[in-house]
Amino acid sequence: MFRSTLAGSIGLVAALLLASCGEPPKVERGQYPLPEGVETAQCEPGQYGGVFILTEVTEPKTFNFLVPSDAASSSAMGKFLVGLVGWDPVKTENIPALAESWEIGEDKKTYTFHLRRGISWSDGEPFSADDVIFTFDCIFAEERDPQTGQMRPRFPNRYIGQYTIGGERIRYRKIDQYTVEFYTPQLYSPFLNDIGFAPIIPKHKLYAAFKDGTLLEQWSTQTAIEHPEELVGLGPFKVFSYHPGERIVYEPNPHYWRADREGQRLPYIDFLVVKYMKDQNADVVLFATGQIDAAAISASDEAWVRKGEQAHDFTLYERGPTPQVSFFWFNLKPGTDKNGVPYVPPYKMAWFQDKRFRQAIMYAYNREGIARGVYFGRAAPLDSIISQGNPKWHNPDVPKYRYNPDKARELLREAGFDWNEAGELFGPGGHRVEIELLLYDSSPRMSEMATTLKENLAGIGIALRINYVDFAVVIQKIDNTYDYEMSAIGWGSSAGASDPSGSKALFASDGIYHIWNAEQETPATDWEARIDELVTAQERTFDEAERVKIFGEIQAILAEEVPLLYLVTPYSYSGIKNKWNNVVVPPSGSLVWNLDELWTEEAIDE
């Protein structure tokens, strides 16, 4: 048995970890035998010890994967939860995870997954096919609506739509304790990719909440604060402690199912610390001064950060255009609140629904100036929902909008808008064109781009007011109350990065993330109906070239209709301290995707 203590900046680590403990916690190693279904990692064997420190701006809102969440929540859950199938960002292919192998039937609709034998949850309870069936029972559970008599989801969640194919839900069954079978109602080529989206959850921990209907209340942030041991998973880590506004600390899962070729159970590190910083620039400063272990570096910060490579012993990697996208959009959701007040005033809705108005905004927006001024030329205007950073699926031949205020004025005039002598723009009904942009207050980059938009729109007579609010308020308004006119967000779905079908909830008109007008009963426009057809078509073919062509058309439609007002694609940079071994830089995505394999010789053993 091994025992290893904290290494590196012991003062910082002590401050982070020991506020309530009194003495340095120690990590038990080797007390449980490796399971029959162990996966042997192909990395170079390392040694135990060390603390890996990261930062995040946004804190998790939940640790329950069924509850609507943001990227920060998904990231936190991803440390201790895992699905049947994984993704290797270096090889860009699906890889075994909880399922060590699988077969696809001759009908290409039947998928049989063979689970790892003998592996255990982080609390030591055995994992089996019952947990897989339970997870999907939770996703698809229904109840009768007492008012309408219709069946409705018992636990509403995004996965229902993702696993509904051609209007029918996937079917699944247990073959034996280590075998499960899934059946897609029609040909669905991205299924292997998609099945990995849902993390498997423990039946022994959550079945009672499933039965009594309180499942969505479980695994809240309060659980992490008061009883982190209740957050049971199959991933490389488990939650050690969570202090809102400060940090979350993870420790190794003593039952993790991966080991190196010398038989050492992964992960190597003793603790993973994620510090929460209000200022998005703080992580860059901390990394550049050697206080955290890895960070994503903005193109605008690359030059000055790189100057510290030798002094603080880190390496900065140029990653090319980022695969993440960001955009503004107008609220096109029709309807009223419970008091009968329209979500958007009808005269403004008429503006927003006019494609010419949306295109005019794009022509009026100097994104080339942002690329030069904010990113020092290390960025380019974004033209598609799939960025240049995902070349396999990116369509470079979509309609493009470059800064042209005269063209913007031409389109507005064509749509019935006009200006008074003071240069103020008025709509066809005589209303002054004034718009409120709802923006979260923790993103300096987004704020800079919004300020540029405000200045550019003023140049064509539009008054834009920026309303800065907490990120949670933005999510509440765009997901639930719909009482906003315009907003902005980044779209960096890991699911969509591996295969754009993972962004089905954004593309499809009935999708929960069809952000400009979500969850439509029927497509509101002909072009949205066409995208729905294309989404279904790409699901039914196993010809990858055909799928790429179909997604090219989806991108072209979205670029022409402009429901999303794309911003810029910055070049991405990532840095990590040189003391860490087994660093493998993928074409895109997180630099620490293989965090369970990283190790350092600077760890202190006892």
Side-chain angles (χ1 to χ4, degrees):
M1 183 184 299
F2 299 93
R3 287 179 180 269
S4 52
T5 59
L6 308 184
S9 303
I10 192 66
L12 174 61
V13 173
L16 290 172
L17 294 176
L18 311 182
S20 60
C21 299
E23 61 180 27
K26 296 182 178 180
V27 178
E28 298 282 351
R29 302 284 192 178
Q31 70 270 46
Y32 301 109
L34 295 173
E36 178 184 346
V38 64
E39 177 179 273
T40 301
Q42 299 306 304
C43 63
E44 286 299 313
Q47 66 184 46
Y48 290 127
V51 176
F52 201 98
I53 303 174
L54 295 169
T55 60
E56 293 274 2
V57 173
T58 307
E59 297 187 48
K61 306 296 187 295
T62 181
F63 292 86
N64 186 332
F65 88 104
L66 293 169
V67 176
S69 62
D70 55 5
S73 301
S74 297
S75 176
M77 286 183 269
K79 303 296 190 300
F80 68 94
L81 295 176
V82 67
L84 292 175
V85 177
W87 176 255
D88 186 324
V90 175
K91 297 179 180 178
T92 63
E93 63 184 21
N94 295 113
I95 56 173
L98 298 182
E100 63 181 358
S101 64
W102 53 79
E103 295 101 31
I104 303 175
E106 291 184 6
D107 61 359
K108 294 187 177 181
K109 298 179 184 178
T110 305
Y111 296 78
T112 304
F113 293 91
H114 303 283
L115 308 180
R116 296 186 184 279
R117 293 174 177 268
I119 70 174
S120 299
W121 293 92
S122 55
D123 63 355
E125 291 295 313
F127 161 72
S128 74
D130 293 329
D131 296 299
V132 179
I133 298 302
F134 171 69
T135 298
F136 284 88
D137 283 348
C138 292
I139 290 172
F140 290 118
E142 291 187 319
E143 63 184 4
R144 193 169 299 280
D145 187 322
Q147 295 183 335
T148 67
Q150 301 295 313
M151 298 304 292
R152 67 183 183 188
R154 192 178 185 204
F155 309 112
N157 63 86
R158 63 158 291 195
Y159 299 91
I160 297 172
Q162 192 68 46
Y163 298 130
T164 297
I165 302 166
E168 292 185 55
R169 296 175 177 178
I170 60 172
R171 300 197 295 272
Y172 50 94
R173 67 188 182 108
K174 171 183 172 181
I175 303 297
D176 58 41
Q177 281 296 91
Y178 294 104
T179 313
V180 290
E181 180 183 271
F182 287 81
Y183 180 81
T184 62
Q186 62 186 35
L187 292 178
Y188 186 74
S189 58
F191 184 74
L192 270 182
N193 187 68
D194 289 11
I195 198 65
F197 299 165
I200 305 304
I201 54 177
K203 182 177 181 179
H204 71 280
K205 277 290 185 183
L206 296 171
Y207 182 72
F210 171 82
K211 291 293 289 184
D212 66 23
T214 63
L215 183 59
L216 295 182
E217 300 169 26
Q218 306 305 308
W219 286 15
S220 65
T221 53
Q222 202 62 31
T223 307
I225 296 168
E226 297 178 354
H227 301 288
E229 71 281 357
E230 293 295 313
L231 302 177
V232 173
L234 293 160
F237 300 96
K238 61 179 184 177
V239 178
F240 175 80
S241 65
Y242 175 46
H243 296 268
E246 297 180 23
R247 79 270 180 186
I248 186 168
V249 181
Y250 301 89
E251 61 182 325
N253 172 2
H255 298 279
Y256 189 42
W257 43 271
R258 298 191 77 220
D260 66 22
R261 60 175 178 262
E262 293 182 357
Q264 297 182 105
R265 178 179 257 120
L266 303 180
Y268 295 112
I269 64 175
D270 281 349
F271 291 96
L272 168 63
V273 180
V274 180
K275 299 169 62 179
Y276 296 109
M277 315 297 293
K278 290 292 186 182
D279 183 354
Q280 193 172 37
N281 291 323
D283 65 330
V284 179
V285 174
L286 290 173
F287 176 74
T289 54
Q291 299 180 65
I292 62 175
D293 290 284
I297 305 299
S298 166
S300 58
D301 293 317
E302 180 267 339
W304 73 266
V305 172
R306 192 176 293 279
K307 293 178 181 178
E309 279 186 308
Q310 290 189 344
H312 295 289
D313 197 23
F314 62 77
T315 298
L316 196 60
Y317 296 93
E318 182 173 346
R319 312 286 302 283
T322 177
Q324 283 74 38
V325 299
S326 53
F327 43 77
F328 297 118
W329 76 92
F330 293 111
N331 183 6
L332 301 180
K333 184 81 170 177
T336 62
D337 64 17
K338 61 183 179 181
N339 297 317
V341 178
Y343 299 136
V344 177
Y347 67 91
K348 290 191 176 183
M349 180 64 78
W351 305 341
F352 300 163
Q353 289 177 335
D354 192 324
K355 176 176 72 174
R356 294 167 296 184
F357 180 82
R358 301 193 298 268
Q359 290 177 334
I361 300 300
M362 288 298 289
Y363 279 117
Y365 191 21
N366 189 1
R367 297 177 300 148
E368 299 95 313
I370 290 175
R372 291 191 303 269
V374 176
Y375 292 98
F376 304 102
R378 297 180 179 91
L382 175 67
D383 298 312
S384 172
I385 188 61
I386 301 176
S387 90
Q388 303 95 306
N390 195 344
K392 175 179 176 180
W393 298 95
H394 173 67
N395 179 3
D397 299 319
V398 299
K400 297 176 174 63
Y401 304 86
R402 295 297 179 259
Y403 183 52
N404 189 340
D406 291 338
K407 180 65 175 177
R409 289 175 177 273
E410 177 186 326
L411 285 167
L412 290 169
R413 191 171 286 109
E414 180 183 315
F417 292 78
D418 206 353
W419 292 263
N420 64 12
E421 292 182 356
E424 297 170 330
L425 184 66
F426 286 80
H431 294 92
R432 172 85 165 90
V433 181
E434 299 175 315
I435 303 168
E436 180 180 273
L437 170 61
L438 183 71
L439 201 65
Y440 49 97
D441 57 10
S442 59
S443 174
R445 292 287 174 268
M446 190 67 80
S447 179
E448 287 179 284
M449 288 187 275
T451 300
T452 299
L453 178 66
K454 179 177 181 176
E455 294 169 353
N456 292 159
L457 294 187
I460 60 168
I462 296 176
L464 181 71
R465 185 172 75 87
I466 304 173
N467 180 17
Y468 291 99
V469 297
D470 184 75
F471 185 73
V473 175
V474 175
I475 296 299
Q476 174 68 11
K477 287 180 176 289
I478 67 177
D479 281 353
N480 298 307
T481 61
Y482 308 119
D483 54 333
Y484 72 99
E485 295 176 1
M486 184 181 189
S487 193
I489 204 166
W491 183 260
S493 161
S494 58
S498 56
D499 188 307
S501 71
S503 294
K504 177 180 177 179
L506 173 67
F507 297 135
S509 63
D510 62 354
I512 191 172
Y513 296 133
H514 194 73
I515 202 160
W516 61 93
N517 184 6
E519 299 180 278
Q520 302 172 26
E521 292 185 8
T522 58
T525 63
D526 290 343
W527 60 266
E528 286 171 294
R530 175 57 181 162
I531 289 178
D532 287 353
E533 293 173 358
L534 292 167
V535 168
T536 299
Q538 64 84 25
E539 292 174 348
R540 292 181 177 179
T541 178
F542 283 76
D543 183 336
E544 189 171 271
E546 180 64 19
R547 293 189 66 224
V548 169
K549 180 180 176 182
I550 291 171
F551 273 109
E553 184 177 346
I554 291 174
Q555 293 171 72
I557 292 172
L558 289 171
E560 170 66 25
E561 299 296 336
V562 209
L564 304 173
L565 288 76
Y566 303 126
L567 303 181
V568 298
T569 301
Y571 302 146
S572 59
Y573 300 84
S574 299
I576 189 167
K577 285 186 176 181
N578 292 328
K579 71 178 185 178
W580 295 104
N581 297 284
N582 288 337
V583 174
V584 181
V585 183
S588 64
S590 173
L591 188 63
V592 293
W593 64 279
N594 62 334
L595 191 55
D596 59 343
E597 298 177 350
L598 302 187
W599 64 278
T600 176
E601 296 173 352
E602 295 182 18
I604 301 172
D605 294 322
E606 280 191 342

